[in-house]
mmCIF file of all heavy atoms in Angstrom:
data_model
loop_
_atom_site.group_PDB
_atom_site.id
_atom_site.type_symbol
_atom_site.label_atom_id
_atom_site.label_comp_id
_atom_site.label_asym_id
_atom_site.label_seq_id
_atom_site.Cartn_x
_atom_site.Cartn_y
_atom_site.Cartn_z
ATOM 1 N N MET A 177 9.347 3.573 16.766
ATOM 2 C CA MET A 177 8.836 3.826 15.417
ATOM 3 C C MET A 177 9.736 4.817 14.697
ATOM 4 O O MET A 177 9.964 5.909 15.154
ATOM 5 C CB MET A 177 7.435 4.412 15.515
ATOM 6 C CG MET A 177 6.861 4.839 14.204
ATOM 7 S SD MET A 177 5.200 5.407 14.418
ATOM 8 C CE MET A 177 5.418 6.730 15.598
ATOM 9 N N ILE A 181 4.686 4.913 8.113
ATOM 10 C CA ILE A 181 3.653 3.954 8.471
ATOM 11 C C ILE A 181 3.154 3.206 7.242
ATOM 12 O O ILE A 181 2.677 3.813 6.276
ATOM 13 C CB ILE A 181 2.482 4.669 9.171
ATOM 14 C CG1 ILE A 181 2.972 5.250 10.492
ATOM 15 C CG2 ILE A 181 1.337 3.718 9.405
ATOM 16 C CD1 ILE A 181 2.003 6.167 11.171
ATOM 17 N N GLN A 182 3.278 1.903 7.327
ATOM 18 C CA GLN A 182 3.020 1.074 6.158
ATOM 19 C C GLN A 182 1.620 1.253 5.569
ATOM 20 O O GLN A 182 1.453 1.497 4.374
ATOM 21 C CB GLN A 182 3.225 -0.389 6.556
ATOM 22 C CG GLN A 182 3.218 -1.335 5.405
ATOM 23 C CD GLN A 182 3.308 -2.775 5.900
ATOM 24 O OE1 GLN A 182 2.500 -3.237 6.690
ATOM 25 N NE2 GLN A 182 4.312 -3.482 5.435
ATOM 26 N N SER A 183 0.622 1.139 6.443
ATOM 27 C CA SER A 183 -0.736 1.141 5.916
ATOM 28 C C SER A 183 -1.088 2.475 5.255
ATOM 29 O O SER A 183 -1.817 2.515 4.271
ATOM 30 C CB SER A 183 -1.735 0.831 7.029
ATOM 31 O OG SER A 183 -1.543 1.709 8.113
ATOM 32 N N GLY A 202 -10.800 -2.447 -9.791
ATOM 33 C CA GLY A 202 -11.290 -3.482 -8.898
ATOM 34 C C GLY A 202 -10.227 -3.861 -7.881
ATOM 35 O O GLY A 202 -9.068 -3.477 -8.012
ATOM 36 N N VAL A 203 -10.626 -4.611 -6.895
ATOM 37 C CA VAL A 203 -9.712 -4.991 -5.820
ATOM 38 C C VAL A 203 -8.532 -5.788 -6.351
ATOM 39 O O VAL A 203 -7.371 -5.455 -6.076
ATOM 40 C CB VAL A 203 -10.462 -5.816 -4.760
ATOM 41 C CG1 VAL A 203 -9.485 -6.320 -3.713
ATOM 42 C CG2 VAL A 203 -11.527 -4.976 -4.088
ATOM 43 N N VAL A 204 -8.817 -6.815 -7.123
ATOM 44 C CA VAL A 204 -7.727 -7.677 -7.571
ATOM 45 C C VAL A 204 -6.796 -6.932 -8.523
ATOM 46 O O VAL A 204 -5.589 -7.172 -8.539
ATOM 47 C CB VAL A 204 -8.268 -8.939 -8.282
ATOM 48 C CG1 VAL A 204 -9.011 -9.812 -7.297
ATOM 49 C CG2 VAL A 204 -9.144 -8.567 -9.443
ATOM 50 N N LYS A 214 -5.087 -9.564 -1.995
ATOM 51 C CA LYS A 214 -6.313 -8.804 -2.211
ATOM 52 C C LYS A 214 -7.071 -8.541 -0.920
ATOM 53 O O LYS A 214 -7.749 -7.533 -0.791
ATOM 54 C CB LYS A 214 -7.213 -9.524 -3.222
ATOM 55 C CG LYS A 214 -7.640 -10.912 -2.824
ATOM 56 C CD LYS A 214 -8.582 -11.472 -3.890
ATOM 57 C CE LYS A 214 -8.981 -12.907 -3.551
ATOM 58 N NZ LYS A 214 -9.968 -13.454 -4.491
ATOM 59 N N HIS A 218 -8.368 -4.918 0.176
ATOM 60 C CA HIS A 218 -9.769 -4.700 0.491
ATOM 61 C C HIS A 218 -9.951 -3.997 1.829
ATOM 62 O O HIS A 218 -10.789 -3.104 1.969
ATOM 63 C CB HIS A 218 -10.518 -6.030 0.508
ATOM 64 C CG HIS A 218 -11.965 -5.875 0.803
ATOM 65 N ND1 HIS A 218 -12.491 -6.080 2.037
ATOM 66 C CD2 HIS A 218 -12.982 -5.475 0.026
ATOM 67 C CE1 HIS A 218 -13.788 -5.844 2.004
ATOM 68 N NE2 HIS A 218 -14.112 -5.479 0.797
ATOM 69 N N GLN A 232 -17.569 3.271 -3.910
ATOM 70 C CA GLN A 232 -17.701 2.028 -4.653
ATOM 71 C C GLN A 232 -18.916 2.080 -5.558
ATOM 72 O O GLN A 232 -20.000 2.460 -5.136
ATOM 73 C CB GLN A 232 -17.830 0.857 -3.675
ATOM 74 C CG GLN A 232 -17.863 -0.483 -4.374
ATOM 75 C CD GLN A 232 -17.839 -1.628 -3.404
ATOM 76 O OE1 GLN A 232 -18.279 -1.487 -2.272
ATOM 77 N NE2 GLN A 232 -17.323 -2.766 -3.837
ATOM 78 N N TYR A 239 -13.995 0.391 -7.526
ATOM 79 C CA TYR A 239 -13.794 1.565 -6.673
ATOM 80 C C TYR A 239 -13.332 2.768 -7.471
ATOM 81 O O TYR A 239 -12.657 2.637 -8.488
ATOM 82 C CB TYR A 239 -12.763 1.239 -5.598
ATOM 83 C CG TYR A 239 -13.257 0.261 -4.564
ATOM 84 C CD1 TYR A 239 -13.126 -1.106 -4.750
ATOM 85 C CD2 TYR A 239 -13.850 0.712 -3.392
ATOM 86 C CE1 TYR A 239 -13.578 -2.003 -3.798
ATOM 87 C CE2 TYR A 239 -14.300 -0.173 -2.433
ATOM 88 C CZ TYR A 239 -14.167 -1.534 -2.641
ATOM 89 O OH TYR A 239 -14.608 -2.405 -1.692
ATOM 90 P P DA D 257 -10.152 -17.451 -14.009
ATOM 91 O OP1 DA D 257 -9.311 -17.073 -15.168
ATOM 92 O OP2 DA D 257 -9.584 -18.220 -12.874
ATOM 93 O "O5'" DA D 257 -10.808 -16.128 -13.406
ATOM 94 C "C5'" DA D 257 -11.497 -15.240 -14.288
ATOM 95 C "C4'" DA D 257 -12.445 -14.394 -13.486
ATOM 96 O "O4'" DA D 257 -13.413 -15.255 -12.866
ATOM 97 C "C3'" DA D 257 -11.800 -13.657 -12.316
ATOM 98 O "O3'" DA D 257 -11.426 -12.339 -12.706
ATOM 99 C "C2'" DA D 257 -12.925 -13.561 -11.299
ATOM 100 C "C1'" DA D 257 -13.960 -14.554 -11.765
ATOM 101 N N9 DA D 257 -14.306 -15.521 -10.728
ATOM 102 C C8 DA D 257 -13.609 -16.605 -10.337
ATOM 103 N N7 DA D 257 -14.180 -17.287 -9.370
ATOM 104 C C5 DA D 257 -15.331 -16.573 -9.111
ATOM 105 C C6 DA D 257 -16.382 -16.747 -8.196
ATOM 106 N N6 DA D 257 -16.435 -17.767 -7.341
ATOM 107 N N1 DA D 257 -17.372 -15.845 -8.203
ATOM 108 C C2 DA D 257 -17.325 -14.821 -9.059
ATOM 109 N N3 DA D 257 -16.399 -14.556 -9.981
ATOM 110 C C4 DA D 257 -15.420 -15.481 -9.943
ATOM 111 P P DT D 258 -10.636 -11.457 -11.643
ATOM 112 O OP1 DT D 258 -10.058 -10.360 -12.437
ATOM 113 O OP2 DT D 258 -9.773 -12.342 -10.829
ATOM 114 O "O5'" DT D 258 -11.744 -10.863 -10.669
ATOM 115 C "C5'" DT D 258 -12.683 -9.892 -11.140
ATOM 116 C "C4'" DT D 258 -13.853 -9.792 -10.189
ATOM 117 O "O4'" DT D 258 -14.317 -11.129 -9.878
ATOM 118 C "C3'" DT D 258 -13.530 -9.216 -8.821
ATOM 119 O "O3'" DT D 258 -13.663 -7.816 -8.849
ATOM 120 C "C2'" DT D 258 -14.614 -9.811 -7.935
ATOM 121 C "C1'" DT D 258 -15.017 -11.084 -8.658
ATOM 122 N N1 DT D 258 -14.669 -12.310 -7.904
ATOM 123 C C2 DT D 258 -15.511 -12.740 -6.914
ATOM 124 O O2 DT D 258 -16.534 -12.145 -6.597
ATOM 125 N N3 DT D 258 -15.113 -13.898 -6.273
ATOM 126 C C4 DT D 258 -14.001 -14.647 -6.547
ATOM 127 O O4 DT D 258 -13.741 -15.666 -5.920
ATOM 128 C C5 DT D 258 -13.156 -14.132 -7.596
ATOM 129 C C7 DT D 258 -11.901 -14.859 -7.968
ATOM 130 C C6 DT D 258 -13.533 -13.004 -8.220
ATOM 131 P P DG D 259 -13.007 -6.970 -7.717
ATOM 132 O OP1 DG D 259 -13.023 -5.547 -8.103
ATOM 133 O OP2 DG D 259 -11.742 -7.635 -7.349
ATOM 134 O "O5'" DG D 259 -14.038 -7.186 -6.517
ATOM 135 C "C5'" DG D 259 -15.314 -6.541 -6.538
ATOM 136 C "C4'" DG D 259 -16.114 -6.970 -5.332
ATOM 137 O "O4'" DG D 259 -16.019 -8.413 -5.208
ATOM 138 C "C3'" DG D 259 -15.625 -6.404 -4.006
ATOM 139 O "O3'" DG D 259 -16.733 -6.078 -3.176
ATOM 140 C "C2'" DG D 259 -14.816 -7.537 -3.409
ATOM 141 C "C1'" DG D 259 -15.581 -8.752 -3.905
ATOM 142 N N9 DG D 259 -14.743 -9.947 -3.993
ATOM 143 C C8 DG D 259 -13.577 -10.103 -4.701
ATOM 144 N N7 DG D 259 -13.054 -11.286 -4.582
ATOM 145 C C5 DG D 259 -13.918 -11.960 -3.737
ATOM 146 C C6 DG D 259 -13.868 -13.289 -3.232
ATOM 147 O O6 DG D 259 -13.023 -14.151 -3.449
ATOM 148 N N1 DG D 259 -14.932 -13.567 -2.395
ATOM 149 C C2 DG D 259 -15.943 -12.679 -2.088
ATOM 150 N N2 DG D 259 -16.892 -13.106 -1.258
ATOM 151 N N3 DG D 259 -16.004 -11.436 -2.554
ATOM 152 C C4 DG D 259 -14.960 -11.146 -3.367
ATOM 153 P P DT D 260 -16.441 -5.427 -1.727
ATOM 154 O OP1 DT D 260 -17.612 -4.602 -1.365
ATOM 155 O OP2 DT D 260 -15.109 -4.802 -1.742
ATOM 156 O "O5'" DT D 260 -16.429 -6.681 -0.749
ATOM 157 C "C5'" DT D 260 -17.640 -7.396 -0.549
ATOM 158 C "C4'" DT D 260 -17.400 -8.547 0.408
ATOM 159 O "O4'" DT D 260 -16.413 -9.435 -0.149
ATOM 160 C "C3'" DT D 260 -16.854 -8.144 1.778
ATOM 161 O "O3'" DT D 260 -17.896 -8.275 2.736
ATOM 162 C "C2'" DT D 260 -15.699 -9.092 2.034
ATOM 163 C "C1'" DT D 260 -15.824 -10.119 0.928
ATOM 164 N N1 DT D 260 -14.537 -10.686 0.448
ATOM 165 C C2 DT D 260 -14.221 -11.981 0.781
ATOM 166 O O2 DT D 260 -14.944 -12.690 1.450
ATOM 167 N N3 DT D 260 -13.019 -12.424 0.290
ATOM 168 C C4 DT D 260 -12.115 -11.715 -0.478
ATOM 169 O O4 DT D 260 -11.073 -12.220 -0.855
ATOM 170 C C5 DT D 260 -12.508 -10.361 -0.786
ATOM 171 C C7 DT D 260 -11.611 -9.501 -1.605
ATOM 172 C C6 DT D 260 -13.691 -9.913 -0.320
ATOM 173 P P DT D 261 -17.659 -7.812 4.227
ATOM 174 O OP1 DT D 261 -18.962 -7.491 4.808
ATOM 175 O OP2 DT D 261 -16.566 -6.821 4.211
ATOM 176 O "O5'" DT D 261 -17.102 -9.126 4.925
ATOM 177 C "C5'" DT D 261 -17.968 -10.252 5.064
ATOM 178 C "C4'" DT D 261 -17.176 -11.450 5.565
ATOM 179 O "O4'" DT D 261 -16.053 -11.665 4.692
ATOM 180 C "C3'" DT D 261 -16.587 -11.290 6.964
ATOM 181 O "O3'" DT D 261 -17.261 -12.198 7.828
ATOM 182 C "C2'" DT D 261 -15.106 -11.639 6.815
ATOM 183 C "C1'" DT D 261 -15.032 -12.284 5.444
ATOM 184 N N1 DT D 261 -13.755 -12.070 4.710
ATOM 185 C C2 DT D 261 -12.898 -13.118 4.534
ATOM 186 O O2 DT D 261 -13.117 -14.237 4.958
ATOM 187 N N3 DT D 261 -11.751 -12.817 3.819
ATOM 188 C C4 DT D 261 -11.413 -11.596 3.294
ATOM 189 O O4 DT D 261 -10.368 -11.446 2.679
ATOM 190 C C5 DT D 261 -12.361 -10.529 3.517
ATOM 191 C C7 DT D 261 -12.090 -9.169 2.991
ATOM 192 C C6 DT D 261 -13.474 -10.811 4.208
ATOM 193 P P DT D 262 -17.025 -12.113 9.392
ATOM 194 O OP1 DT D 262 -18.262 -12.612 10.018
ATOM 195 O OP2 DT D 262 -16.511 -10.771 9.723
ATOM 196 O "O5'" DT D 262 -15.861 -13.165 9.654
ATOM 197 C "C5'" DT D 262 -15.983 -14.491 9.149
ATOM 198 C "C4'" DT D 262 -14.662 -15.231 9.273
ATOM 199 O "O4'" DT D 262 -13.741 -14.698 8.308
ATOM 200 C "C3'" DT D 262 -13.965 -15.084 10.621
ATOM 201 O "O3'" DT D 262 -14.060 -16.312 11.320
ATOM 202 C "C2'" DT D 262 -12.509 -14.744 10.284
ATOM 203 C "C1'" DT D 262 -12.434 -14.938 8.780
ATOM 204 N N1 DT D 262 -11.532 -14.007 8.064
ATOM 205 C C2 DT D 262 -10.408 -14.508 7.454
ATOM 206 O O2 DT D 262 -10.101 -15.681 7.480
ATOM 207 N N3 DT D 262 -9.651 -13.563 6.793
ATOM 208 C C4 DT D 262 -9.904 -12.211 6.702
ATOM 209 O O4 DT D 262 -9.161 -11.478 6.090
ATOM 210 C C5 DT D 262 -11.096 -11.762 7.377
ATOM 211 C C7 DT D 262 -11.468 -10.313 7.340
ATOM 212 C C6 DT D 262 -11.848 -12.656 8.019
ATOM 213 P P DT D 267 7.928 -11.355 12.546
ATOM 214 O OP1 DT D 267 8.048 -12.587 11.769
ATOM 215 O OP2 DT D 267 8.995 -10.980 13.494
ATOM 216 O "O5'" DT D 267 7.667 -10.153 11.537
ATOM 217 C "C5'" DT D 267 6.504 -10.215 10.723
ATOM 218 C "C4'" DT D 267 5.683 -8.949 10.819
ATOM 219 O "O4'" DT D 267 4.895 -8.916 12.033
ATOM 220 C "C3'" DT D 267 6.486 -7.636 10.805
ATOM 221 O "O3'" DT D 267 5.806 -6.777 9.916
ATOM 222 C "C2'" DT D 267 6.383 -7.146 12.244
ATOM 223 C "C1'" DT D 267 4.991 -7.631 12.628
ATOM 224 N N1 DT D 267 4.738 -7.795 14.075
ATOM 225 C C2 DT D 267 3.559 -7.331 14.612
ATOM 226 O O2 DT D 267 2.713 -6.771 13.955
ATOM 227 N N3 DT D 267 3.416 -7.559 15.959
ATOM 228 C C4 DT D 267 4.311 -8.187 16.792
ATOM 229 O O4 DT D 267 4.071 -8.332 17.992
ATOM 230 C C5 DT D 267 5.527 -8.646 16.169
ATOM 231 C C7 DT D 267 6.562 -9.326 16.975
ATOM 232 C C6 DT D 267 5.681 -8.437 14.855
ATOM 233 P P DT D 268 6.551 -5.483 9.412
ATOM 234 O OP1 DT D 268 6.443 -5.470 7.955
ATOM 235 O OP2 DT D 268 7.880 -5.342 10.074
ATOM 236 O "O5'" DT D 268 5.568 -4.384 10.015
ATOM 237 C "C5'" DT D 268 4.172 -4.695 10.041
ATOM 238 C "C4'" DT D 268 3.415 -3.697 10.880
ATOM 239 O "O4'" DT D 268 3.446 -4.085 12.273
ATOM 240 C "C3'" DT D 268 3.942 -2.286 10.796
ATOM 241 O "O3'" DT D 268 2.866 -1.426 10.510
ATOM 242 C "C2'" DT D 268 4.535 -2.000 12.172
ATOM 243 C "C1'" DT D 268 3.870 -3.014 13.090
ATOM 244 N N1 DT D 268 4.784 -3.583 14.113
ATOM 245 C C2 DT D 268 4.317 -3.873 15.369
ATOM 246 O O2 DT D 268 3.165 -3.690 15.703
ATOM 247 N N3 DT D 268 5.263 -4.387 16.235
ATOM 248 C C4 DT D 268 6.584 -4.634 15.964
ATOM 249 O O4 DT D 268 7.332 -5.086 16.810
ATOM 250 C C5 DT D 268 7.008 -4.310 14.618
ATOM 251 C C7 DT D 268 8.423 -4.531 14.219
ATOM 252 C C6 DT D 268 6.101 -3.803 13.770
ATOM 253 P P DG D 269 3.199 0.048 10.023
ATOM 254 O OP1 DG D 269 2.322 0.322 8.880
ATOM 255 O OP2 DG D 269 4.646 0.267 9.921
ATOM 256 O "O5'" DG D 269 2.647 0.838 11.285
ATOM 257 C "C5'" DG D 269 1.338 0.535 11.727
ATOM 258 C "C4'" DG D 269 1.190 0.910 13.180
ATOM 259 O "O4'" DG D 269 2.128 0.165 13.983
ATOM 260 C "C3'" DG D 269 1.478 2.378 13.481
ATOM 261 O "O3'" DG D 269 0.586 2.773 14.489
ATOM 262 C "C2'" DG D 269 2.906 2.328 14.012
ATOM 263 C "C1'" DG D 269 2.817 1.059 14.827
ATOM 264 N N9 DG D 269 4.086 0.470 15.206
ATOM 265 C C8 DG D 269 5.242 0.424 14.478
ATOM 266 N N7 DG D 269 6.225 -0.183 15.094
ATOM 267 C C5 DG D 269 5.677 -0.551 16.306
ATOM 268 C C6 DG D 269 6.261 -1.241 17.404
ATOM 269 O O6 DG D 269 7.407 -1.673 17.501
ATOM 270 N N1 DG D 269 5.351 -1.426 18.446
ATOM 271 C C2 DG D 269 4.047 -0.991 18.425
ATOM 272 N N2 DG D 269 3.320 -1.258 19.510
ATOM 273 N N3 DG D 269 3.492 -0.352 17.406
ATOM 274 C C4 DG D 269 4.362 -0.167 16.389
ATOM 275 P P DG D 270 0.002 4.175 14.566
ATOM 276 O OP1 DG D 270 -1.237 4.226 13.798
ATOM 277 O OP2 DG D 270 1.095 5.115 14.271
ATOM 278 O "O5'" DG D 270 -0.352 4.266 16.112
ATOM 279 C "C5'" DG D 270 -1.004 3.155 16.705
ATOM 280 C "C4'" DG D 270 -0.722 3.129 18.183
ATOM 281 O "O4'" DG D 270 0.536 2.455 18.423
ATOM 282 C "C3'" DG D 270 -0.624 4.509 18.833
ATOM 283 O "O3'" DG D 270 -1.510 4.555 19.942
ATOM 284 C "C2'" DG D 270 0.822 4.641 19.277
ATOM 285 C "C1'" DG D 270 1.337 3.217 19.306
ATOM 286 N N9 DG D 270 2.689 3.080 18.813
ATOM 287 C C8 DG D 270 3.170 3.466 17.591
ATOM 288 N N7 DG D 270 4.427 3.202 17.417
ATOM 289 C C5 DG D 270 4.805 2.597 18.604
ATOM 290 C C6 DG D 270 6.067 2.094 18.999
ATOM 291 O O6 DG D 270 7.122 2.080 18.360
ATOM 292 N N1 DG D 270 6.035 1.562 20.287
ATOM 293 C C2 DG D 270 4.919 1.521 21.082
ATOM 294 N N2 DG D 270 5.068 0.987 22.279
ATOM 295 N N3 DG D 270 3.731 1.988 20.719
ATOM 296 C C4 DG D 270 3.752 2.512 19.477
ATOM 297 P P DC D 271 -1.843 5.904 20.605
ATOM 298 O OP1 DC D 271 -3.229 5.799 21.096
ATOM 299 O OP2 DC D 271 -1.451 6.985 19.672
ATOM 300 O "O5'" DC D 271 -0.861 5.965 21.862
ATOM 301 C "C5'" DC D 271 -0.941 4.921 22.838
ATOM 302 C "C4'" DC D 271 0.308 4.916 23.675
ATOM 303 O "O4'" DC D 271 1.450 4.684 22.832
ATOM 304 C "C3'" DC D 271 0.590 6.235 24.393
ATOM 305 O "O3'" DC D 271 0.298 6.065 25.771
ATOM 306 C "C2'" DC D 271 2.074 6.517 24.148
ATOM 307 C "C1'" DC D 271 2.579 5.269 23.449
ATOM 308 N N1 DC D 271 3.565 5.501 22.364
ATOM 309 C C2 DC D 271 4.839 4.941 22.463
ATOM 310 O O2 DC D 271 5.138 4.296 23.468
ATOM 311 N N3 DC D 271 5.717 5.138 21.451
ATOM 312 C C4 DC D 271 5.363 5.845 20.369
ATOM 313 N N4 DC D 271 6.264 5.999 19.404
ATOM 314 C C5 DC D 271 4.063 6.427 20.255
ATOM 315 C C6 DC D 271 3.203 6.235 21.260
#
Side-chain angles (χ1 to χ4, degrees):
Chain A
M177 174 176 58
I181 295 170
Q182 190 185 56
S183 53
V203 175
V204 294
K214 60 177 177 176
H218 181 261
Q232 184 174 27
Y239 290 88

